[in-house]
Amino acid sequence: MAMLCFGVYFADGQVKILFDATKAETAGNADWIIDADAFNLGYNNGTATIGGNDANAQATATPLQTNITSSTAETFWKGGLSYWAIDCVKKGYQVETLPYNGVISYGNVSNPQDLTHYNIFVVDEPNILFTSSEKIALINFVQNGGSLFIIGNHSQSDRNNDGYDSPGIWNDLFTNNGIISNPFGISFDLTKFSAYSSNISTYANDSLLHGSYGNVSQVAWNSGTTMTINPSINSSVKAAVYKSGTSNIGNTKVMVAYARYGLGKVVAFGDSSPFDDGTGDTNDQLYDGYIADANGNHQKLIMNATQWLATNASILPEQIDFSCFRNGRSVNINWVIATEINTFCFNVQKSYNGTVFFDFNIIKATGKLKYSCIDKLQQENNNVYYRLKTVEKDGSIQYSKIVRLGANNYSSSKLYPNPAKEFIHFLGNDITSVKIRNCLGNIVLSTSIIENNKINISGLQNGLYFIETCDKSGNVITEKMMKQ
């Protein structure tokens, strides 16, 4: 199994969204891209090749998105998702396309469109199975702070005639990824129906239904499907919209679902029609679901969902520090906050596998900025993970970094600064050896010579690394580091 790459790094802080076009998203009458200048793709045994009349999306949409203003029309680009993409640019996000011959990877420094460079990866109605390496990349991307926009369609919607349709392709990713079964707690039902629904979830502060783009009251499926959610597998998974005539508090007949996994997030839709803006490839049958259908609710729902995914939940913006120190079965947990103007409470969460967390202490925000608590473990030699869940007064939620304490680890952090350029400095004077691994797990630097509590990393390429430090007691701590 590939080693995980812990984190997604953005040098300029701008939200970056990558729209996939590698999974036959333009086969048949589909046109799930933001822009195309060429219409020369065909599908031979399900695989895209030059020699046809389907849209061939390029990596960079033209005209350039820097020319988009608040009054730019969605016809500025030619693609079935152009309206959505232009709305994203107007929000301040950067959008790109992964072309039909691009590579879905995570931690591949030689791939200029590696997922580590993006906040959100959008896959609208895939019609080609994800490969084993792509599945690992997608799960690791979300696990370590990325957001995945999952868009399906009805059963028997195989547009490139390779024997697979989007519900089956998504379910294959969920259950056959080589890492964890059904990590998001979502599975697509193999159904087909067309209907309006105003059966909205009852969550009062739901970010998808009541976000900054407006309150959502209705959706319309045009040959879509539903999903089943499983909170017993992923406790964070929720339904936002249900099929009409069913319960709006259950786990079945779900039309829109969302969840957190690790440090990342996912949103799932059971139909691609709401995203179609009615423009794009003139060889296709076009349908306006983004604005014209459901009384404009689709635009609100999709942009609310995009904004929720774009909000990085991995590091709390106003958080200065979150640290844990272990002494036997006692763990001291401390955090410092820069501001608490809108903060309601802090939920200190614990996990034994780094994925499924539960609250063990809830502390009301009082404005004192510095907080601490103690956790008593049942066994001294257990691995344990901690994170801080901050709940704002409007119901929005943010998460801190995850701190892992091994069976004998007494400190949660050993190195600084991070990101680093030339040197890594180590806390204390008990470090006896250091190993640095790249995202593939290969050792790129190993040394037991640590002068003045620092080592030189200027020879490493820029990117994500894992730093393994061993102290005099034999304790090993692994931390992520970004080399700039």
Side-chain angles (χ1 to χ4, degrees):
M1 185 181 299
M3 177 171 284
L4 303 182
C5 292
F6 293 94
V8 181
Y9 178 68
F10 312 100
D12 57 10
Q14 185 179 28
V15 171
K16 298 178 181 178
I17 305 175
L18 183 64
F19 288 79
D20 185 69
T22 69
K23 298 300 178 185
E25 282 92 346
T26 63
N29 282 318
D31 199 52
W32 310 128
I33 56 171
I34 64 177
D35 181 54
D37 293 340
F39 299 85
N40 58 1
L41 283 186
Y43 292 90
N44 182 17
N45 295 323
T47 302
T49 58
I50 300 297
N53 59 7
D54 282 321
N56 184 357
Q58 66 277 3
T60 302
T62 56
L64 297 180
Q65 58 193 281
T66 52
N67 297 313
I68 292 176
T69 68
S70 60
S71 60
T72 298
E74 58 89 16
T75 52
F76 183 79
W77 288 336
K78 190 170 185 178
L81 304 182
S82 60
Y83 209 141
W84 180 16
I86 289 171
D87 274 350
C88 288
V89 175
K90 290 178 179 179
K91 177 66 179 176
Y93 304 157
Q94 179 178 323
V95 298
E96 291 180 19
T97 295
L98 187 64
Y100 82 96
N101 55 357
V103 176
I104 299 174
S105 69
Y106 182 78
N108 181 355
V109 295
S110 65
N111 180 9
Q113 290 189 293
D114 186 80
L115 290 179
T116 56
H117 301 301
Y118 303 92
N119 299 73
I120 301 174
F121 187 43
V122 178
V123 186
D124 190 334
E125 195 185 338
N127 266 261
I128 299 174
L129 285 171
F130 295 103
T131 66
S132 296
S133 62
E134 289 172 340
K135 293 174 185 177
I136 292 173
L138 291 174
I139 300 301
N140 287 349
F141 170 64
V142 179
Q143 166 75 32
N144 299 304
S147 292
L148 180 61
F149 212 127
I150 298 168
I151 304 169
N153 201 10
H154 61 85
S155 182
Q156 299 181 346
S157 57
D158 178 12
R159 298 182 186 270
N160 62 336
N161 301 312
D162 67 346
Y164 301 99
D165 55 22
S166 59
I169 290 168
W170 282 122
N171 287 343
D172 179 65
L173 168 69
F174 300 154
T175 61
N176 189 30
N177 55 62
I179 297 177
I180 183 172
S181 180
N182 201 3
F184 313 134
I186 298 170
S187 61
F188 280 87
D189 303 325
L190 303 182
T191 62
K192 177 181 179 180
F193 71 97
S194 298
Y196 281 80
S197 177
S198 298
N199 197 9
I200 305 299
S201 165
T202 59
Y203 297 120
N205 296 311
D206 188 287
S207 299
L208 274 64
L209 299 174
H210 309 291
S212 63
Y213 283 85
N215 295 322
V216 177
S217 59
Q218 187 184 63
V219 299
W221 263 211
N222 184 7
S223 294
T225 189
T226 53
M227 292 167 282
T228 298
I229 62 173
N230 193 333
S232 66
I233 295 176
N234 184 322
S235 60
S236 72
V237 67
K238 294 180 180 179
V241 184
Y242 293 86
K243 189 176 181 181
S244 182
T246 61
S247 169
N248 65 351
I249 58 173
N251 298 329
T252 61
K253 306 299 181 182
V254 176
M255 299 174 76
V256 179
Y258 62 106
R260 298 178 185 271
Y261 173 69
L263 297 178
K265 304 175 180 178
V266 299
V267 168
F269 275 62
D271 189 17
S272 53
S273 299
F275 300 84
D276 193 346
D277 61 18
T279 68
D281 188 350
T282 54
N283 297 304
D284 296 340
Q285 295 177 4
L286 306 176
Y287 170 85
D288 187 359
Y290 190 72
I291 290 293
D293 216 348
N295 297 311
N297 277 276
H298 289 161
Q299 183 184 34
K300 297 176 186 178
L301 177 59
I302 291 167
M303 287 307 297
N304 282 344
T306 305
Q307 185 173 3
W308 181 73
L309 289 174
T311 304
N312 189 355
S314 60
I315 301 294
L316 188 66
E318 60 267 40
Q319 179 181 309
I320 296 176
D321 185 45
F322 177 69
S323 59
C324 305
F325 301 91
R326 178 170 180 167
N327 187 359
R329 288 194 294 175
S330 294
V331 178
N332 291 346
I333 303 167
N334 307 278
W335 62 99
V336 181
I337 304 296
T339 177
E340 300 178 43
I341 297 175
N342 298 310
T343 306
F344 177 70
C345 68
F346 303 100
N347 293 10
V348 184
Q349 297 189 320
K350 183 165 66 172
S351 172
Y352 292 109
N353 60 12
T355 299
V356 180
F357 284 81
F358 59 89
D359 296 341
F360 82 89
N361 199 348
I362 300 177
I363 297 176
K364 187 175 181 179
T366 61
K368 65 181 183 179
L369 302 181
K370 295 183 179 181
Y371 296 85
S372 64
C373 66
I374 296 176
D375 184 26
K376 294 290 187 180
L377 303 176
Q378 293 182 353
Q379 298 182 22
E380 184 172 344
N381 60 349
N382 276 354
N383 293 326
V384 64
Y385 302 78
Y386 294 95
R387 72 181 181 189
L388 186 67
K389 174 183 176 182
T390 301
V391 181
E392 302 296 309
K393 293 177 181 178
D394 64 359
S396 60
I397 295 172
Q398 298 279 4
Y399 290 85
S400 75
K401 65 181 181 181
I402 295 175
V403 174
R404 174 190 177 275
L405 296 182
N408 297 309
N409 290 348
Y410 295 90
S411 173
S412 63
S413 182
K414 289 287 187 182
L415 64 89
Y416 71 95
N418 194 359
K421 292 184 178 180
E422 297 183 357
F423 293 93
I424 301 175
H425 298 258
F426 298 97
L427 299 174
N429 58 3
D430 61 343
I431 302 298
T432 60
S433 65
V434 177
K435 291 181 181 179
I436 301 181
R437 299 179 184 269
N438 61 20
C439 287
L440 299 178
N442 300 321
I443 296 176
V444 296
L445 189 153
S446 179
T447 183
S448 58
I449 303 175
I450 305 162
E451 297 180 352
N452 299 320
N453 288 344
K454 65 180 182 180
I455 61 174
N456 191 326
I457 61 166
S458 59
L460 298 180
Q461 294 182 351
N462 293 350
L464 285 165
Y465 293 89
F466 299 93
I467 315 300
E468 297 177 6
T469 58
C470 182
D471 63 22
K472 295 177 181 179
S473 300
N475 300 317
V476 177
I477 294 178
T478 301
E479 298 184 77
K480 71 170 183 177
M481 181 207 69
M482 177 60 67
K483 166 68 168 58
Q484 290 184 328

